Amino acid sequence: MSMPVLSGTEFWKLSGSGNDFVVFNVMGDAAGAVILESPEMVRRLCARGTGVGADGVVLLTAPDDSPERGAGEWERNHFRMIYFNADGSRGEMCGNAALCSTRLAVHMGLAPAEGMRFETDSGVVSSRLVKGEPEVDLAAVREVIPDFRVHLQAGERRVGFALVGVPHLVVLCDSVEDVDVALRGSELRHDPSLAAGANANFVARDADGVWRIRTYERGVEAETLACGTGATASAILLELWGEVDARPVSLWTRSGMVLTATAGRVSEGDWRPSLRGSARIVFRGEIGEA
């Protein structure tokens, strides 16, 4: 499949705290969505140097016809967010993509800034702009393992697991600067006990008391500059481990920008997290002929 199939198709390039995405509004364009869902097309679009270049592709499509129950009354969702990793695989959820989708939906008039609901493969989420910055209430998190059975390496203090739309391992470290994220992240991502693999997040508090995070992302198969669901998983486990005293938890990402996550523990084994962070429209473009 070649790019000329999409010649003239409009796209948006967005960056969420350093994670970047190619976003298409395919509301009412089912044929276009089918072409864009091709793993080969996703890989071509995400390729840096020969494509647009991104960590993933986002499709904004029409929501399902079935209404959802919300706030005590029947509500219809504004759109559906479909996410693809750079390797062409479909991801159940991406926190930074959700923040970017919120930003773009307001910009394009698809939803109001004060509040929206949209569908993802991991469930319906709600979001809004707060003082110009997007904030997303993620789907409930119920699968959390505070102590994941994996051999600890030097400088690692504890490893936990949380399913925040997608699976995450969180490693509490002495220093994220000392971690070989490419090597250790790949080892954890492919741990044989995880049937679907997992993202690997390394978190540590520096001498100034600031939490820092580095992430090896499944589907990108490399370290990325930020991971929204990874920051959320980290906030949940840091609270469960008694490492943080107050909400929300701010984590400095590799991009130098901050992701703020609220663990939101409702009851034993039931977390309702939210995520806030930067989401910037970089440019709008069209797919070329060659």
Side-chain angles (χ1 to χ4, degrees):
M1 186 177 294
S2 59
M3 287 291 197
V5 175
L6 297 175
S7 178
T9 301
E10 181 183 71
F11 69 87
W12 298 78
K13 179 70 178 288
L14 284 93
S15 176
S17 299
N19 268 149
D20 57 341
F21 309 100
V22 184
V23 186
F24 294 86
N25 176 10
V26 290
M27 305 274 276
D29 184 11
V34 170
I35 295 172
L36 289 164
E37 288 179 356
S38 160
E40 180 187 352
M41 185 60 71
V42 170
R43 289 192 292 268
R44 287 171 64 88
L45 288 165
C46 290
R48 302 188 187 277
T50 57
V52 180
D55 292 314
V57 168
V58 179
L59 305 184
L60 303 184
T61 72
D64 292 341
D65 291 333
S66 302
E68 296 282 347
R69 174 78 68 182
E73 60 184 15
W74 289 107
E75 295 181 355
R76 290 191 179 275
N77 302 313
H78 291 90
F79 58 91
R80 182 176 187 85
M81 183 191 85
I82 302 176
Y83 178 70
F84 295 92
N85 296 301
D87 67 357
S89 62
R90 184 157 169 165
E92 300 89 340
M93 182 58 181
C94 175
N96 279 317
L99 294 174
C100 286
S101 295
T102 298
R103 168 76 70 194
L104 187 59
V106 173
H107 180 80
M108 298 185 72
L110 301 177
E114 59 269 20
M116 67 189 76
R117 290 159 50 89
F118 59 94
E119 301 161 8
T120 74
D121 284 2
S122 67
V124 176
V125 303
S126 58
S127 65
R128 66 209 66 83
L129 294 186
V130 179
K131 296 181 180 179
E133 194 169 58
E135 180 180 67
V136 179
D137 300 324
L138 301 173
V141 175
R142 296 190 174 92
E143 189 174 343
V144 179
I145 303 172
D147 289 291
F148 188 81
R149 300 189 67 175
V150 64
H151 178 71
L152 296 178
Q153 294 192 353
E156 297 177 353
R157 295 161 50 193
R158 200 166 184 178
V159 180
F161 173 89
L163 183 64
V164 185
V166 293
H168 285 276
L169 290 176
V170 177
V171 185
L172 182 62
C173 306
D174 293 333
S175 169
V176 296
E177 299 302 325
D178 296 334
V179 178
D180 185 339
V181 175
L183 178 61
R184 182 57 171 158
S186 180
E187 291 174 350
L188 293 171
R189 178 261 185 269
H190 293 286
D191 189 280
S193 66
L194 297 165
N199 297 294
N201 306 275
F202 303 90
V203 295
R205 184 160 41 194
D206 65 19
D208 295 326
V210 173
W211 285 101
R212 301 192 181 276
I213 181 170
R214 296 177 67 183
T215 301
Y216 183 97
E217 283 204 49
R218 181 191 70 162
V220 179
E221 306 308 330
E223 180 177 7
T224 58
L225 294 178
C227 179
T229 51
T232 306
S234 299
I236 290 173
L237 284 158
L238 286 172
E239 181 168 323
L240 194 58
W241 291 335
E243 294 288 338
V244 292
D245 300 321
R247 300 175 181 172
V249 179
S250 294
L251 299 109
W252 287 82
T253 68
R254 204 59 175 167
S255 69
M257 289 181 271
V258 179
L259 282 168
T260 301
T262 302
R265 190 170 192 172
V266 178
S267 61
E268 188 69 28
D270 191 358
W271 304 78
R272 301 297 173 97
S274 64
L275 175 70
R276 178 163 37 91
S278 168
R280 184 170 59 92
I281 298 174
V282 181
F283 62 84
R284 181 180 65 183
E286 289 185 358
I287 300 298
E289 296 182 358

